């Protein structure tokens, strides 16, 4: 397996950049933070700065959220594209003078940010749109609500795999040798997938061993281990992998691009990931400005935009329905129905072990 792994990562500029032809719009995990949207300063304590995941959410932020925010408040904004763990790392490095006002984090990194005192509670009485957020997406600890959600699904090439796979066990099918794709456990997708593997064989967040046992069965079929979810899409589009765990919205997007792809929710169930915007502990532009920005992101208009093509996210606003392109397969038309189906991982438990898991995954994949 070592030669295969080396081959995959010798193309790091392709996998890391995750830029596939005509689809850079949707790649949310590129490993770069060089592009920013520089505008004039605000009238508050300095220019408003928001973090966003590179790719999809950066595009969503630039095309929709920032314009809506500027129109509503007259405030200009700068966007810093960073992965969640990078945002937390920068806050830790400069807690008293944070590089941005608002961060966008997954549940796991949000837990870390809370424990480190890097973000502050959200003044719900100052938010007009929080009343429309699904109750399951509200923070019981008083921090900002969830912004959007995703589900982990099993995607496959319909031209090369005629029989729809029904479980994660399909990845170890000997008939698929050289067809499977995986993604690094540095990503939320990769970690969520491994926990799901563990669950299918009696494990879970507190016992990952069954997942690593199953990984050994899957590895002979693996032809690509992507650095991030966007890079996995590159491999899929290029025909280098035909079956892989994937975010539901990524699979839906590839389908709109004419890629021969379908996706299914494994019979073990749907696992989801949630993402929230939060105000940092010492916002450079002031609390009111930061809260206004998050409030805009929770509005019916922005939430409708992120729920539709080409994004296909699960919106947090209960006034917005899921896109028809994904509703049938997720068996949910509304956020409430989605939450009844989805399993949200215990990231507090995961965080205590995740670094060791990542090291082990990297070591065993190369073995």
């Amino acid at each position: 397996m070592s030669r295969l792994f080396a081959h995959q990562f010798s193309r790091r500029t392709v996998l890391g950049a995750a830029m596939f032809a005509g689809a850079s719009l949707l790649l949310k995990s590129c490993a770069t933070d060089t592009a920013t949207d520089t505008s004039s300063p605000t009238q508050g304590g300095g220019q408003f700065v928001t973090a966003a995941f590179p790719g999809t959410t950066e595009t969503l932020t630039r095309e929709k959220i920032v314009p809506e925010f500027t129109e509503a408040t007259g405030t200009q904004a700068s966007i810093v594209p960073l992965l969640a763990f990078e945002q937390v790392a920068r806050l830790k490095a400069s807690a008293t003078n944070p590089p941005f006002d608002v961060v966008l984090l997954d549940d796991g990194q949000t837990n870390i940010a809370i424990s480190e005192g890097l973000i502050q509670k959200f003044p719900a009485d100052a938010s007009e749109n929080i009343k429309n957020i699904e109750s399951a997406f509200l923070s019981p600890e008083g921090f900002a609500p969830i912004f959007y959600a995703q589900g982990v699904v099993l995607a496959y090439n319909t031209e090369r795999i005629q029989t729809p796979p029904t479980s994660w066990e399909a990845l170890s099918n000997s008939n698929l040798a050289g067809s499977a794709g995986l993604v690094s456990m540095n990503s939320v997708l990769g970690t969520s997938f491994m926990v799901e593997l563990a669950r299918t064989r009696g494990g879970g967040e507190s016992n990952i061993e069954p997942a690593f046992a199953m990984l050994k069965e899957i590895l002979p079929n693996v032809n690509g281990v992507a650095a991030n979810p966007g890079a996995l899409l590159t491999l899929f589009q290029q025909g280098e992998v035909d079956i892989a765990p994937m975010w539901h919205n990524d699979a839906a997007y590839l389908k709109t691009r004419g890629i021969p792809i379908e996706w299914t929710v494994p019979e073990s169930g749907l696992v989801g990931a949630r993402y929230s915007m939060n105000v940092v502990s010492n916002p450079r532009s002031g609390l009111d400005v930061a809260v206004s920005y998050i409030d805009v992101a929770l509005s019916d208009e922005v939430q409708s935009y992120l729920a539709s093509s080409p994004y296909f996210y699960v919106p947090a606003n209960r006034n917005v329905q899921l896109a028809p392109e994904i509703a049938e397969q997720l068996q949910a038309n509304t956020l409430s129905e989605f939450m009844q189906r989805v399993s949200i991982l215990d990231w507090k438990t995961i965080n205590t072990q995740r670094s060791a898991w990542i090291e082990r995954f990297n070591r065993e994949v190369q073995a």
Side-chain angles (χ1 to χ4, degrees):
M1 184 66 187
S2 59
R3 184 169 63 84
L4 174 61
F5 187 91
H7 168 66
Q8 292 148 6
F9 282 85
S10 68
R11 294 176 286 136
R12 183 174 295 275
T13 54
V14 176
L15 297 184
M19 299 297 291
F20 56 85
S24 61
L25 170 68
L26 198 66
L27 301 183
K28 55 186 166 298
S29 299
C30 310
T32 177
D33 63 356
T34 57
T36 57
D37 183 12
T38 304
S39 307
S40 60
T42 68
Q43 295 180 353
Q47 178 165 309
F48 176 82
V49 180
T50 181
F53 302 148
T56 306
T57 54
E58 181 188 354
T59 302
L60 171 68
T61 302
R62 191 179 305 278
E63 292 188 349
K64 189 65 176 177
I65 303 176
V66 165
E68 292 288 330
F69 169 66
T70 300
E71 181 178 352
T73 66
T75 303
Q76 301 298 313
S78 178
I79 305 166
V80 180
L82 290 171
L83 299 178
F85 76 91
E86 295 171 316
Q87 295 175 41
V88 170
R90 291 201 181 186
L91 286 180
K92 285 183 178 181
S94 186
T96 59
N97 186 29
F100 17 69
D101 299 275
V102 170
V103 289
L104 174 61
L105 307 174
D106 59 84
D107 280 343
Q109 294 299 316
T110 296
N111 287 334
I112 293 172
I114 291 173
S115 66
E116 296 280 348
L118 302 175
I119 58 177
Q120 62 178 287
K121 293 187 176 182
F122 187 73
D125 57 352
S127 171
E128 178 183 349
N129 294 307
I130 197 170
K131 65 181 182 296
N132 297 322
I133 301 304
E134 178 68 26
S135 59
F137 273 23
L138 296 174
S139 168
E141 297 158 307
F143 291 87
I146 299 301
F147 175 40
Y148 65 70
Q150 297 171 290
V152 181
V153 299
L154 183 56
Y156 62 98
N157 184 312
T158 55
E159 292 182 351
R160 299 178 184 176
I161 301 175
Q162 276 74 46
T163 303
T166 60
S167 74
W168 297 117
E169 300 284 348
L171 292 168
S172 59
N173 188 327
S174 59
N175 294 328
L176 298 177
S179 299
L182 298 177
V183 64
S184 165
M185 285 190 74
N186 286 303
S187 68
V188 175
L189 175 61
T191 295
S192 298
F193 165 68
M194 286 291 287
V195 172
E196 273 303 283
L197 284 189
R199 283 180 170 180
T200 61
R201 296 196 175 182
E205 293 92 331
S206 299
N207 178 17
I208 201 70
E209 289 302 322
F212 280 101
M214 190 169 176
L215 183 65
K216 293 178 180 178
E217 301 173 19
I218 294 171
L219 285 179
N221 292 341
V222 173
N223 192 48
V225 181
N228 53 63
L232 182 63
L233 300 195
T234 303
L235 293 179
F236 204 100
Q237 177 175 277
Q238 292 175 344
E240 297 187 49
V241 300
D242 299 325
I243 184 169
M246 192 176 288
W247 292 124
H248 81 271
N249 55 301
D250 285 350
Y253 173 74
L254 285 183
K255 190 173 181 180
T256 68
R257 299 289 300 178
I259 305 301
I261 186 175
E262 266 300 346
W263 53 277
T264 182
V265 175
E267 58 190 16
S268 57
L270 181 66
V271 62
R274 306 178 302 179
Y275 306 84
S276 59
M277 292 180 177
N278 267 288
V279 183
V280 302
S281 291
N282 299 290
R284 53 196 292 165
S285 297
L287 178 61
D288 291 347
V289 175
V291 170
S292 295
Y293 178 82
I294 295 174
D295 193 53
V296 166
L298 300 176
S299 67
D300 291 5
E301 186 166 357
V302 169
Q303 291 280 304
S304 295
Y305 195 81
L306 66 84
S308 61
S309 179
Y311 299 103
F312 299 116
Y313 286 120
V314 175
N317 188 316
R318 60 172 171 260
N319 293 335
V320 180
Q321 291 195 327
L322 278 65
E325 292 91 334
I326 65 171
E328 182 176 355
Q329 284 164 286
L330 291 179
Q331 298 181 24
N333 291 307
T334 66
L335 175 57
S336 177
E337 292 175 359
F338 174 81
M339 290 305 297
Q340 291 172 17
R341 289 209 65 206
V342 75
S343 172
I344 301 298
L345 301 183
D346 178 2
W347 283 97
K348 288 185 178 180
T349 298
I350 291 171
N351 283 340
T352 64
Q353 313 161 81
R354 193 178 180 196
S355 295
W357 291 356
I358 291 171
E359 291 179 7
R360 182 178 174 184
F361 179 90
N362 293 342
R363 183 173 63 250
E364 296 193 9
V365 165
Q366 295 181 73

